[in-house]
Amino acid sequence: MSEPAQTAPAASKFVDLLPRVASAAALVAAALLTLIAGGDLFALFWLAAAFAIFWEWQTLIAAERRSLRVAAGLVGLLGAAACLRLGVPVWSAVTVGLLAVVAAILAGSGRRLWAAGGALYAGVLLLSVILLRQSPDLGTLAIAWLFAIVWGSDIFAYFGGRLIGGPKLWPRVSAGKTWSGTITGLVCGAALGLAVARMGAGVALAPAALLGLFLAALSQIGDLFESAVKRRFGVKDSSRLIPGHGGVMDRLDGFIFACGFAALFGVLRDHASAAAGLFLW
């Protein structure tokens, strides 16, 4: 009679995990499908993600006139996305900068820098991901490469930490992260990124591998950054938008850091094509 009593908790845990697994699968599928589709559908998907992040951030900091800040965020991010789609990325960056100023003014004293920071945080995601995807020839590969690096780093860091254990990385900021998990995530994320980069014609693999390792480290830093922000304001999750996963910030913190740097690095190397600046040496 003891066997059913022992299996019941395991079955209950499995049922509890179903919403988490289903929402994660849906997000991955949506990200990949819109990546393949490209164009306005891709831009709309990431505009929605950027606006969700802006809303979560402005809600989290508990500053004045939240509704006005959120409305300004919707208008500003729409304008930034439109400028990108029209081929004027400079005006897109200017629009995000103006949004940061407006958010700061509306937030009132004591939260101005935090409000402006949320605008820049969401704006960096929107500008970088669309800019990379719009790159001729290699845009799709660049985003798929980033997905592989960030997702691989996140997943393998979790399992590496659980299986190996050991000293904590930074317990004051993130109680669960270990050195073993971090190193496992860095190596595996870079390796998965390299596997994706090999699919591209003319890609210089050695620079792509080194850059992938650096971006995997940046994604881990992005995760720590978001943990520090949430700890600063005393919240566990940025919101409850994603069942079992918290908020959009919780899912995209590492991707924002990695994608933002990748776009900047690519543009500095090749003004015409950010993705080419990443892969062609």
Side-chain angles (χ1 to χ4, degrees):
M1 296 295 292
S2 62
E3 186 175 346
Q6 292 173 355
T7 56
S12 177
K13 287 182 180 179
F14 176 76
V15 171
D16 291 341
L17 280 174
L18 285 178
R20 182 180 177 90
V21 173
S23 59
L27 287 172
V28 169
L32 292 176
L33 287 173
T34 54
L35 171 60
I36 294 168
D40 290 337
L41 184 61
F42 180 84
L44 284 171
F45 177 81
W46 287 101
L47 172 62
F51 177 67
I53 286 171
F54 183 86
W55 171 77
E56 288 177 349
W57 185 294
Q58 301 301 328
T59 301
L60 184 148
I61 65 172
E64 298 174 12
R65 292 181 284 273
R66 188 194 69 165
S67 297
L68 287 176
R69 283 182 284 119
V70 170
L74 179 58
V75 173
L77 292 172
L78 272 169
C83 289
L84 279 174
R85 295 296 294 145
L86 291 172
V88 281
V90 172
W91 281 107
S92 184
V94 170
T95 302
V96 170
L98 289 174
L99 173 59
V101 172
V102 171
I105 293 171
L106 291 173
S109 59
R111 291 287 190 273
R112 287 196 174 99
L113 289 179
W114 283 107
L120 296 177
Y121 194 63
V124 164
L125 171 66
L126 183 66
L127 268 62
S128 61
V129 73
I130 295 179
L131 191 64
L132 283 169
R133 178 61 182 84
Q134 288 183 168
S135 299
D137 302 324
L138 294 170
T140 303
L141 180 68
I143 301 300
W145 177 67
L146 283 166
F147 283 166
I149 292 169
V150 175
W151 292 349
S153 177
D154 191 32
I155 293 169
F156 282 97
Y158 173 79
F159 285 108
R162 292 292 296 269
L163 293 173
I164 301 171
K168 300 294 184 181
L169 176 66
W170 196 355
R172 286 184 58 191
V173 173
S174 180
K177 290 190 180 299
T178 61
W179 280 102
S180 61
T182 299
I183 294 170
T184 302
L186 295 182
V187 174
C188 292
L192 288 173
L194 182 60
V196 171
R198 289 175 63 89
M199 300 177 188
V203 173
L205 295 180
L210 291 174
L211 188 55
L213 188 63
F214 181 74
L215 292 176
L218 270 183
S219 74
Q220 297 280 343
I221 293 171
D223 193 359
L224 288 171
F225 169 78
E226 202 238 352
S227 295
V229 171
K230 290 189 297 184
R231 186 175 288 268
R232 164 67 176 77
F233 291 99
V235 299
K236 183 178 183 293
D237 296 318
S238 56
S239 76
R240 296 181 180 178
L241 286 177
I242 307 173
H245 290 270
V248 179
M249 278 172 58
D250 298 317
R251 294 301 91 210
L252 292 177
D253 45 17
F255 185 76
I256 294 171
F257 271 57
C259 191
F261 180 85
L264 177 62
F265 184 87
V267 167
L268 290 176
R269 290 201 68 247
D270 189 330
H271 297 299
S273 171
L278 294 172
F279 295 129
L280 304 182
W281 294 70

